[in-house]
Amino acid sequence: MYTRGQFAVIGKVGRKALRIYDEEGLLVPAAVNGENGYHYYDESQLAVLEKIKSLRKIGLSLFEIKQILDGRADEKELIDSKIKEMDLHLKEVKDFISSEKNQKVETRAGAGNVDPDITSFGRRRCLYIAENVELENLGISVGKLYEKASREGMEATGSHFVIYENLSYDDFSMTTCLPVVDGKNEDTIDVEEKQCLHINFKEGFSKVGNAHILIKEYAESHNLKIADKAYEVYNKDMTVDVFYPIL
């Protein structure tokens, strides 16, 4: 058995990382001394630590790694998805370096020269987290929602999405949502919009702001009044559906 410090040195990882892995349930100490509170790991856990480190290196989140370790997610499927995400990011970097177009042209090209259509935002019952976060941390909120769904025996269905409200004000709100089946309780909300301007954006999450610009320009040119509210639905094929309710 090794103390947390000894295990950290042998496994070449920081003690802070071990504390996080413990808190998240990825790598729980084999024993805890009830008198002094010391944490102990056995040698077999080194293999688990190496797996966690390897999966972190390729960009998997702690939530995704936990799903793999618990046997609730397919490792190959998650790695393949991460490879596609990295390939898309590399393409975006190359496009940025090689691009010599002005911002207006990039805005139009980034949305694929496709005008918005008018459609509904179908009714969804969702677990949700109401919080303002950096988009880089969106995965943390989504992970929390999947964990909550699993813990409460709810089945996640459809793509997760974000609702932005009061966009004209400094105190705009952001709500992260996960559609679930049979999830009606105090922790769920029903979301539906009868009529929206909509774009299916195919140029990656990092450029989705271009879709918002195009929708606003389209609404102005066609004398359509849209709400101070937007939806971004993040699909498994790496596209984003953007919706603005029509007033």
Side-chain angles (χ1 to χ4, degrees):
M1 300 286 281
Y2 303 102
T3 65
R4 175 173 280 169
Q6 292 169 335
F7 193 74
V9 171
I10 295 170
K12 294 182 174 58
V13 67
R15 283 185 293 180
K16 181 179 179 180
L18 287 180
R19 285 197 295 271
I20 292 173
Y21 297 161
D22 180 9
E23 292 168 359
E24 296 295 329
L26 279 77
L27 186 61
V28 178
V32 179
N33 187 310
E35 295 181 0
N36 56 27
Y38 287 179
H39 296 70
Y40 294 93
Y41 297 81
D42 62 43
E43 190 169 352
S44 67
Q45 292 180 291
L46 284 170
V48 179
L49 176 60
E50 287 302 316
K51 189 174 190 66
I52 293 171
K53 289 165 58 181
S54 296
L55 294 174
R56 287 292 286 162
K57 282 181 181 178
I58 62 173
L60 266 64
S61 68
L62 295 182
F63 171 75
E64 290 170 326
I65 295 172
K66 189 174 190 301
Q67 295 288 297
I68 291 173
L69 295 178
D70 290 347
R72 291 187 290 174
D74 183 85
E75 181 176 345
K76 183 179 183 303
E77 183 179 316
L78 283 179
I79 292 175
D80 287 345
S81 175
K82 183 59 63 175
I83 290 173
K84 290 179 182 177
E85 181 181 330
M86 294 169 71
D87 285 344
L88 179 60
H89 178 66
L90 180 59
K91 178 182 179 298
E92 291 176 345
V93 172
K94 289 180 177 178
D95 288 346
F96 174 78
I97 293 173
S98 63
S99 176
E100 296 180 357
K101 300 178 181 179
N102 59 43
Q103 183 61 43
K104 187 68 175 180
V105 174
E106 285 181 351
T107 296
R108 290 296 185 182
N113 288 318
V114 176
D115 283 335
D117 56 39
I118 296 178
T119 187
S120 64
F121 187 86
R123 183 176 177 275
R124 297 157 169 86
R125 177 170 293 160
C126 305
L127 286 173
Y128 70 98
I129 295 177
E131 59 183 357
N132 288 322
V133 300
E134 295 295 331
L135 278 181
E136 289 79 0
N137 296 325
L138 177 61
I140 296 175
S141 295
V142 175
K144 289 178 181 177
L145 291 175
Y146 272 103
E147 288 181 347
K148 184 177 181 63
S150 176
R151 188 168 58 249
E152 298 190 8
M154 297 180 183
E155 179 186 352
T157 178
S159 302
H160 64 273
F161 61 94
V162 168
I163 308 172
Y164 298 102
E165 297 183 89
N166 300 318
L167 291 172
S168 299
Y169 303 91
D170 288 344
D171 60 344
F172 75 93
S173 67
M174 174 179 173
T175 304
T176 307
C177 299
L178 177 67
V180 293
V181 176
D182 298 325
K184 191 170 184 180
N185 58 41
E186 69 271 11
D187 295 324
T188 62
I189 55 174
D190 289 329
V191 181
E192 182 179 17
E193 300 289 348
K194 297 296 185 183
Q195 198 173 42
C196 302
L197 276 181
H198 160 260
I199 282 180
N200 177 247
F201 187 76
K202 297 180 171 64
E203 301 300 317
F205 297 166
S206 65
K207 294 183 180 180
V208 72
N210 292 338
H212 291 264
I213 293 172
L214 189 58
I215 285 178
K216 287 182 177 295
E217 289 179 349
Y218 184 91
E220 290 174 2
S221 65
H222 289 74
N223 295 317
L224 292 172
K225 188 173 182 181
I226 55 177
D228 200 21
K229 179 180 184 179
Y231 296 79
E232 287 183 357
V233 182
Y234 305 97
N235 303 310
K236 290 184 179 179
D237 63 1
M238 305 302 291
T239 65
V240 186
D241 283 299
V242 180
F243 298 82
Y244 273 78
I246 298 174
L247 299 176

